[in-house]
Amino acid sequence: MPHVTAAPTHNAVREETHDDTLSRLAAVIATRSPQAGGDPDKSYVARLLSKGPDAILKKIGEEATEVVMAGKDADRPKLVAEMADLWFHCLVALQAYGLHPQDVLAELARREGLSGLEEFALRKAKARDAESDTDKDIDQDTDQDAGSQPPPPGAPA
C-alpha cells in the first residue's frame, strides 16, 4: 500500500461557507468570459471559454484523470490540488453553459437525506418512465400514420 501523506487542514481556510468561495470564483470566471470583455490573449479562462465546450470538457477529462492518479498514489496534498483544478474547470464549464455553482449545490441539497441507492433507483425509474412515454408517443404517431395511409395495392379496401 502506498504511503499516505497528510492533507492540508481546514484551518488554512478563512471562516466562510464553501459556497461563498465557489460563488466568488464563479463571479471572477464570469468577468473573464469573452462576452464580458475577457481577452483570450491575457486570460486563461477567456482563452478556454473562447475555444468552446469541447475544449473545456477535454480539460475536465484531463483533470479528472489527474485526480484518479493522485488518489491511486494516495497522495493527499496532490489529490486536494488536483481536485481544486477539477472543480475550477467545472466552474468554467458551468459558465460556458450559463449555469452557476448554486445550481449544483441546490441539486446536492435536493439529494441530501437520500441514500445513494435510493437516488440511483429514483433516477432509473424516471428514465424508464420517460422512455415509456417516448415509446407511447412513437406508437401513437405510428398508429396515426398507419390510419392516414392508403392500403397497399391488392389489399381489401
Side-chain angles (χ1 to χ4, degrees):
M1 181 171 202
H3 174 70
V4 178
T5 55
T9 65
H10 301 324
N11 298 339
V13 177
R14 292 184 318 196
E15 289 297 321
E16 60 186 57
T17 62
H18 297 291
D19 57 326
D20 289 343
T21 301
L22 293 174
S23 293
R24 277 196 322 277
L25 187 52
V28 170
I29 289 169
T31 66
R32 305 281 167 81
S33 73
Q35 295 83 358
D39 183 352
D41 292 330
K42 296 180 180 176
S43 166
Y44 171 75
V45 170
R47 185 178 322 134
L48 192 54
L49 286 168
S50 70
K51 289 180 179 180
D54 285 348
I56 298 164
L57 298 173
K58 180 180 177 186
K59 191 63 182 170
I60 288 173
E62 292 169 6
E63 296 300 340
T65 299
E66 291 174 6
V67 166
V68 170
M69 292 182 334
K72 295 288 280 178
D73 291 343
D75 186 337
R76 292 172 52 137
K78 188 168 184 174
L79 181 60
V80 169
E82 295 300 346
M83 191 71 69
D85 289 346
L86 176 60
W87 286 16
F88 173 81
H89 287 91
C90 288
L91 290 171
V92 173
L94 289 174
Q95 172 65 35
Y97 288 100
L99 296 167
H100 191 272
Q102 195 56 42
D103 298 315
V104 178
L105 294 171
E107 176 61 13
L108 289 171
R110 184 192 68 77
R111 294 179 185 186
E112 192 173 8
L114 286 178
S115 80
L117 295 175
E118 289 172 330
E119 172 63 20
F120 179 74
L122 183 62
R123 281 187 281 150
K124 193 172 182 179
K126 284 182 181 180
R128 191 173 43 248
D129 290 346
E131 185 177 304
S132 175
D133 291 345
T134 302
D135 290 345
K136 288 177 188 174
D137 291 343
I138 291 171
D139 289 344
Q140 289 174 352
D141 291 344
T142 304
D143 292 344
Q144 291 172 358
D145 291 345
S148 63
Q149 295 176 357

